[in-house]
Amino acid sequence: MLKGPTPEVDTGEALPLLDVRDLTVEFQTRRGVVTAVRHVNISLAKGETLGIVGESGSGKSVTSYAVMRILDRAGRIADGSVMFSNLDLRQIDESDMRDLRGREMSMIFQSPRLALNPIRKIGHQIEDVLLQHAQADKDVVADKAVEMLEQVRIARPRERYHAYPFELSGGMCQRVVIALALACRPQLLIADEPTTGLDVTTQKAVMDLVTELTRERGMSTILITHDLGLAAAYCDKVIVMEKGHVVETAKAETIFRNPQHAYTRKLMRATPRPGIGLRDLLPEEEAARAGAIGAAAAGSAAPLLKVEKLVKEYPRQGAATSLSRLFKSGPTPEGDVFRAVDGISFEIARGESVGLVGESGCGKSTTSMMLMRLIDKTSGTITFDGEDIGAIPARDFATLPQRRRIQMVFQDPTDSLNPRFTAARAIADPLLRLSDIPRKDLRARIEELATQVGLPLELLDRFPHQLSGGQKARVGIARAIALKPDLVVLDEPTAALDVSVQAVVLNLLQDLKDKLGMSYLFVSHDLNVVRLLCDRVIVMKSGQIVEQGLTARVMDAPQAEYTRDLLAAIPHPPI
Amino acid sequence: MTDTLNALPPVTTPPAAPVAEKTEHNSLLRHARYVMAENAVTGLAFALFALIALCALIGPYIVPHDPLASDTAAALQAPSWKHWFGTDQLGRDIFSRVVVATRLDFIIAITSVALVFAMGGLAGIAAGYFGGWTDRIVSRLSDTIMAFPLFVLAMGIVAALGNTVTNIVIATAIINFPLYVRVARAEANVRREAGFVQAARLSGNGDMRILLGHILPNIMPIMMVQISLTMGYAILNAAGLSFIGLGVKPPTPEWGIMVAEGAANIISGEWWIALFPGAALMLAVFTFNLLGDGLRDLVDPQRRT
């Protein structure tokens, strides 16, 4: 059994809680040894919050895994030292390490749902941790678990103790994960992208909670994120990593005001924020080359798309089975159907781009699926260029000529490409099915499209897994515009991309719109991104439209309470 | 933890290898060589498979003796240089019979697996993709088949339909039907809502094209494992039916019959009559079971970098 480190007693203030020197991590791969992290130095004082910022592949997660010694089998610490208070984490054996993890240092992972055991009550999961590390006796452990739930601000903790993870929202699950991580009062908390995938208001609540608990308990926290704004808003100190190197270490207040390294500046430029234009996201030299953005096309008299009183209802889960109704006493309060989209009306003019904004579960995805004719509406009309396409069953729509006029760019570029199709084949798919292009011209058309979206032609014969995220996004965009559609629905097309890639893709979308005269419906939860690309914004909440209007008006003078909440929840770095 | 590996810079952007210039055929061969070299077991499995396939193809032309010619003077001889595996009660050369039998057993296995793959695989992905009534009918049908002891069901089918090789193939296909349905259904079901299926719909693909052109190729790796496993099972099943006197009739050389014929002689000490065809059977099943992983690696594009 290992004694808990007590730095205050035997060392004093000068010694940092975590001192990483010269850390180098290597991975054994099919193509030989890959160095993921090179000579990284991190020093974290007690009670300090440190942000590690970088894009995918920068080695930020690997660094934290190395500190926790949870690298997978192919990875190993090749060089350097990791000191945790006065313990050398590279030297102590695995059983001591296991004892340290969870008790002295714990971790919050990206996906809260994956981090929780889906078939165990959350209260029991917290008890497991407490018992494992002998933090409580069997008779009081339940009370302690409830207390933990209370501390992470879960309302009605005694009831929620008996809840299963699937009964809780994403934000609530993340709170439970935080409760698990903090149950044993660790000295070091590592949060690996704790709010990615959460709504912006939930992100704010979770981050506020983490900072508050950190302060209350005098813990040290490492926040790993791709979002420079988030790190600067919540951390004392920020480390910027690129390709396994630390390129800059600075205080949070100064990094935004006075970034030293070119990469930090590039990252900062690419981060969407108020008061800038789309071109400002690109590095200076590219922004100059890109030229001015075309003026918004003046809407012609008849709108391209007109949606009136659109409703989508789903049967409530469990409501359909008569058996469960037998055992429940009293009437169900909310009826048997759930209205995902509740009577919304809006228009999109030709050449206009409209943003559809809201948090997860607000019905924005359901709306876009209905417009795309992938699912059927319950009631209402969808008029596209004078024709009520809402009346055509979704099943039949795929092979109709109207299909080519409405296309979509999907959220996840990986998921939306068939793993067995090469890039060229993926782009060819709509051309083969819905256009009468002769076979001999097909390749030329594909290459033309690839050039339009900036995809190097030599990548056309690669499979999706051989392409980077940005390249896959380009393939998805090329596929969507292949048939020269009138309306393109963009379903969070950049949510899965790094900020610098996002900047390029957003600019590409704008250029394509100027060139091809399409209309966009841009579905997103990120108001800062919507601001850049859209002429008008529609804000949705619980299936209804709470506000719509010109982008500048909605952003600068929001009328609805909810819009104001959304705007306020965006992390504000200290500038 | 897979995240960690994906996050590595040199891996996510593969070097611009001249893959595209090579023809598809060429790259498949190179990939096959890579898969076999990487895993010794896979290499062994493919080597054994090649041996079995070779016996099936040219076996009858290379064997030293006529597998049907009896020579009562040389009956029940132990293995020797003249008769490598010895001779049986009628003096027929067991080595020749074992080699020649390969073709029949191989054909039964391949045709029955092809049949069940076509029936069960298609029914399964249709059930998984469409859901609703299609799913209910297909799933209950396969549940019904599963409710019988499978070998007894196969016996019943062959007994009812008649004692021919065709009926053995049909019976073997029917008892494997639920296995294919379940795997294909589960795999198609998770892909039904995948982004690339939605995208295919937007590109104007009808349901049939999505099923056969988009979903089926994506579940091929897992179906390959199923195919190789049931291949071994099919051989075993055909031999089993012959062993109990259904199916292939003597004097046709077939492993199951040969084991049955030799079983009575084990007690009197002539072990070789049953042992060698039994060993051939075991080797074939073993080979097909080993083959699964290798086949999956071959058809999985993720492995082809």
Side-chain angles (χ1 to χ4, degrees):
Chain A
M1 215 45 186
L2 190 88
K3 271 193 176 173
T6 46
E8 308 95 326
V9 181
D10 51 358
T11 50
E13 286 303 305
L15 192 78
L17 178 71
L18 180 73
D19 193 15
V20 176
R21 293 244 172 96
D22 232 16
L23 179 73
T24 300
V25 180
E26 290 177 349
F27 281 86
Q28 207 74 41
T29 71
R30 199 165 136 173
R31 285 196 204 80
V33 175
V34 172
T35 311
V37 172
R38 285 169 206 271
H39 308 294
V40 164
N41 294 306
I42 296 172
S43 164
L44 180 67
K46 214 168 152 43
E48 195 177 29
T49 305
L50 171 77
I52 302 183
V53 181
E55 298 189 295
S56 50
S58 62
K60 55 190 194 301
S61 292
V62 174
T63 306
S64 64
Y65 292 164
V67 169
M68 293 284 276
R69 277 209 358 214
I70 50 171
L71 290 167
D72 52 331
R73 228 182 293 159
R76 65 181 199 93
I77 301 176
D79 196 16
S81 72
V82 182
M83 298 293 291
F84 180 71
S85 49
N86 49 5
L87 285 167
D88 185 348
L89 293 190
R90 280 192 71 187
Q91 300 301 326
I92 64 173
D93 55 29
E94 184 53 35
S95 66
D96 289 341
M97 198 64 216
R98 216 174 297 138
D99 202 44
L100 272 182
R101 276 187 227 121
R103 194 162 59 100
E104 299 298 338
M105 51 205 305
S106 42
M107 196 151 180
I108 306 174
F109 290 97
Q110 183 170 341
S111 171
R113 264 182 221 288
L114 294 181
L116 293 172
N117 183 341
I119 55 159
R120 236 172 121 60
K121 291 176 179 175
I122 55 164
H124 292 166
Q125 298 194 40
I126 297 175
E127 287 177 3
D128 290 344
V129 178
L130 291 169
L131 293 172
Q132 171 80 31
H133 292 285
Q135 295 288 308
D137 292 326
K138 273 230 155 49
D139 43 337
V140 295
V141 74
D143 292 329
K144 264 205 106 154
V146 171
E147 192 186 308
M148 281 311 302
L149 289 174
E150 209 171 352
Q151 281 187 19
V152 292
R153 319 279 185 278
I154 285 184
R156 293 178 286 131
R158 227 160 255 290
E159 260 168 70
R160 292 278 158 69
Y161 173 92
H162 296 288
Y164 291 96
F166 74 88
E167 296 174 304
L168 303 175
S169 69
M172 205 102 83
C173 280
Q174 193 58 291
R175 281 164 210 249
V176 175
V177 172
I178 293 172
L180 280 174
L182 301 186
C184 299
R185 306 198 148 258
Q187 302 190 51
L188 172 66
L189 175 72
I190 299 179
D192 187 359
E193 304 264 9
T195 58
T196 310
L198 299 182
D199 288 320
V200 58
T201 48
T202 319
Q203 160 169 302
K204 185 169 158 54
V206 167
M207 284 314 300
D208 286 347
L209 175 70
V210 170
T211 0
E212 208 182 308
L213 291 174
T214 311
R215 203 166 304 135
E216 241 169 52
R217 297 168 169 215
M219 273 187 323
S220 306
T221 304
I222 296 180
L223 172 70
I224 296 164
T225 178
H226 64 278
D227 187 344
L228 195 55
L230 185 74
Y234 286 99
C235 298
D236 305 319
K237 204 164 74 176
V238 176
I239 285 180
V240 181
M241 285 186 76
E242 184 198 15
K243 293 178 186 145
H245 294 276
V246 171
V247 296
E248 183 159 1
T249 309
K251 288 231 175 295
E253 305 97 66
T254 55
I255 197 152
F256 252 83
R257 225 177 294 140
N258 187 19
Q260 296 299 316
H261 194 274
Y263 179 73
T264 318
R265 280 200 293 275
K266 182 178 160 227
L267 259 186
M268 278 190 45
R269 252 185 99 82
T271 307
R273 55 204 183 276
I276 58 147
L278 198 50
R279 294 294 186 231
D280 297 333
L281 297 180
L282 297 171
E284 280 99 345
E285 64 278 8
E286 277 174 48
R289 207 172 338 121
I293 291 169
S300 52
L304 179 67
L305 181 85
K306 191 171 179 192
V307 173
E308 279 175 303
K309 299 200 180 60
L310 192 62
V311 172
K312 178 70 188 175
E313 287 176 340
Y314 286 108
R316 218 168 254 292
Q317 215 147 46
T321 60
S322 49
L323 196 68
S324 64
R325 222 177 288 159
L326 263 180
F327 293 106
K328 279 207 180 100
S329 51
T332 33
E334 291 176 274
D336 287 350
V337 291
F338 164 70
R339 282 201 162 188
V341 175
D342 193 2
I344 60 168
S345 307
F346 63 91
E347 290 178 2
I348 299 176
R350 277 173 206 281
E352 189 185 31
S353 54
V354 175
L356 184 59
V357 182
E359 306 198 306
S360 52
C362 75
K364 60 184 194 298
S365 293
T366 313
T367 306
S368 67
M369 296 286 259
M370 277 191 286
L371 298 185
M372 291 310 301
R373 306 303 306 123
L374 285 172
I375 53 173
D376 284 316
K377 64 185 167 71
T378 305
S379 68
T381 57
I382 304 168
T383 315
F384 180 76
D385 205 12
E387 186 190 1
D388 183 10
I389 58 167
I392 306 168
R395 279 193 75 108
D396 303 336
F397 201 79
T399 47
L400 294 181
Q402 290 94 323
R403 173 77 284 161
R404 57 184 298 179
R405 303 186 59 191
I406 316 174
Q407 289 291 320
M408 183 166 182
V409 177
F410 289 85
Q411 177 170 359
D412 185 343
T414 309
D415 179 55
S416 63
L417 292 178
N418 188 334
R420 303 191 64 93
F421 279 10
T422 59
R425 180 67 185 81
I427 299 172
D429 206 35
L431 293 170
L432 287 172
R433 297 285 91 79
L434 289 171
S435 77
D436 36 23
I437 186 166
R439 279 269 173 175
K440 61 176 170 47
D441 300 340
L442 189 63
R443 185 74 195 186
R445 174 74 180 129
I446 292 168
E447 288 182 359
E448 183 191 339
L449 285 163
T451 316
Q452 269 182 349
V453 299
L455 184 73
L457 296 184
E458 66 268 20
L459 298 183
L460 279 175
D461 292 309
R462 293 211 183 161
F463 288 97
H465 71 275
Q466 295 167 311
L467 299 172
S468 71
Q471 290 163 347
K472 277 184 274 198
R474 285 170 202 265
V475 174
I477 294 169
R479 178 174 60 187
I481 63 166
L483 297 165
K484 304 199 177 92
D486 297 311
L487 174 68
V488 178
V489 174
L490 307 163
D491 185 7
E492 311 223 18
T494 58
L497 303 176
D498 281 327
V499 280
S500 60
V501 183
Q502 163 174 292
V504 177
V505 169
L506 289 176
N507 275 285
L508 170 69
L509 288 168
Q510 178 67 44
D511 291 341
L512 287 171
K513 186 173 92 93
D514 290 346
K515 207 180 295 170
L516 304 174
M518 301 174 285
S519 301
Y520 282 160
L521 179 68
F522 190 96
V523 181
S524 179
H525 68 274
D526 191 339
L527 280 166
N528 270 336
V529 172
V530 169
R531 181 204 305 264
L532 293 169
L533 201 66
C534 299
D535 308 320
R536 277 196 308 124
V537 184
I538 299 168
V539 182
M540 274 185 83
K541 189 195 178 195
S542 319
Q544 289 172 325
I545 292 177
V546 294
E547 182 164 10
Q548 59 176 313
L550 293 175
T551 309
R553 209 274 296 146
V554 173
M555 294 289 178
D556 299 333
Q559 302 292 305
E561 180 77 42
Y562 180 68
T563 316
R564 279 198 286 275
D565 287 347
L566 274 185
L567 284 165
I570 299 171
H572 292 287
I575 301 178
Chain B
M1 281 317 257
T2 46
D3 249 29
T4 329
L5 267 178
N6 289 340
L8 297 177
V11 185
T12 42
T13 39
V19 178
E21 293 154 32
K22 296 271 163 71
T23 60
E24 178 74 4
H25 181 67
N26 224 334
S27 79
L28 188 68
L29 270 184
R30 281 194 304 129
H31 178 62
R33 208 173 325 138
Y34 172 79
V35 165
M36 277 176 240
E38 186 194 40
N39 189 340
V41 176
T42 305
L44 175 73
F46 274 96
L48 285 172
F49 179 77
L51 179 73
I52 293 173
L54 198 71
C55 286
L57 275 176
I58 58 165
Y61 312 111
I62 56 157
V63 289
H65 300 273
D66 180 351
L68 295 178
S70 53
D71 174 11
T72 33
L76 295 176
Q77 286 185 359
S80 65
W81 279 115
K82 188 158 182 270
H83 300 285
W84 291 356
F85 291 177
T87 59
D88 64 7
Q89 303 90 328
L90 299 175
R92 294 174 297 195
D93 179 48
I94 292 177
F95 174 73
S96 303
R97 286 176 67 78
V98 166
V99 172
V100 170
T102 313
R103 182 184 283 184
L104 182 61
D105 281 289
F106 205 59
I107 287 175
I108 292 176
I110 284 183
T111 46
S112 69
V113 166
L115 187 66
V116 70
F117 175 71
M119 293 191 319
L122 290 185
I125 56 172
Y129 178 74
F130 292 114
W133 276 106
T134 321
D135 185 19
R136 262 170 253 172
I137 291 169
V138 171
S139 295
R140 291 303 83 76
L141 183 67
S142 72
D143 286 351
T144 312
I145 295 174
M146 285 292 260
F148 290 95
L150 292 183
F151 190 71
V152 177
L153 181 66
M155 281 164 56
I157 293 169
V158 176
L161 293 180
N163 214 345
T164 64
V165 173
T166 320
N167 290 338
I168 295 184
V169 170
I170 292 173
T172 311
I174 289 176
I175 62 168
N176 281 329
F177 180 78
L179 299 177
Y180 281 78
V181 165
R182 289 190 172 184
V183 172
R185 179 183 171 278
E187 292 294 316
N189 202 14
V190 294
R191 283 171 180 77
R192 179 166 67 167
E193 296 301 324
F196 72 85
V197 171
Q198 304 274 30
R201 230 169 260 152
L202 290 186
S203 302
N205 291 276
D207 283 333
M208 274 303 142
R209 269 191 197 281
I210 289 176
L211 266 188
L212 299 179
H214 290 262
I215 294 184
L216 182 63
N218 273 292
I219 66 173
M220 273 316 278
I222 193 112
M223 294 303 272
M224 270 332 227
V225 176
Q226 194 70 16
I227 282 175
S228 92
L229 286 179
T230 41
M231 194 91 124
Y233 189 48
I235 287 193
L236 214 51
N237 191 62
L241 285 173
S242 306
F243 181 86
I244 57 168
L246 286 165
V248 184
K249 289 187 218 73
T252 318
E254 199 280 338
W255 293 335
I257 303 176
M258 293 169 72
V259 174
E261 285 169 352
N265 291 65
I266 290 178
I267 283 183
S268 54
E270 288 94 16
W271 48 268
W272 57 89
I273 305 178
L275 178 85
F276 289 108
L281 188 59
M282 195 198 78
L283 195 69
V285 175
F286 179 66
T287 303
F288 287 124
N289 288 352
L290 284 187
L291 212 52
D293 284 347
L295 279 177
R296 185 201 53 213
D297 290 349
L298 265 186
V299 295
D300 190 350
Q302 309 263 343
R303 300 288 310 253
R304 206 186 299 172
T305 7

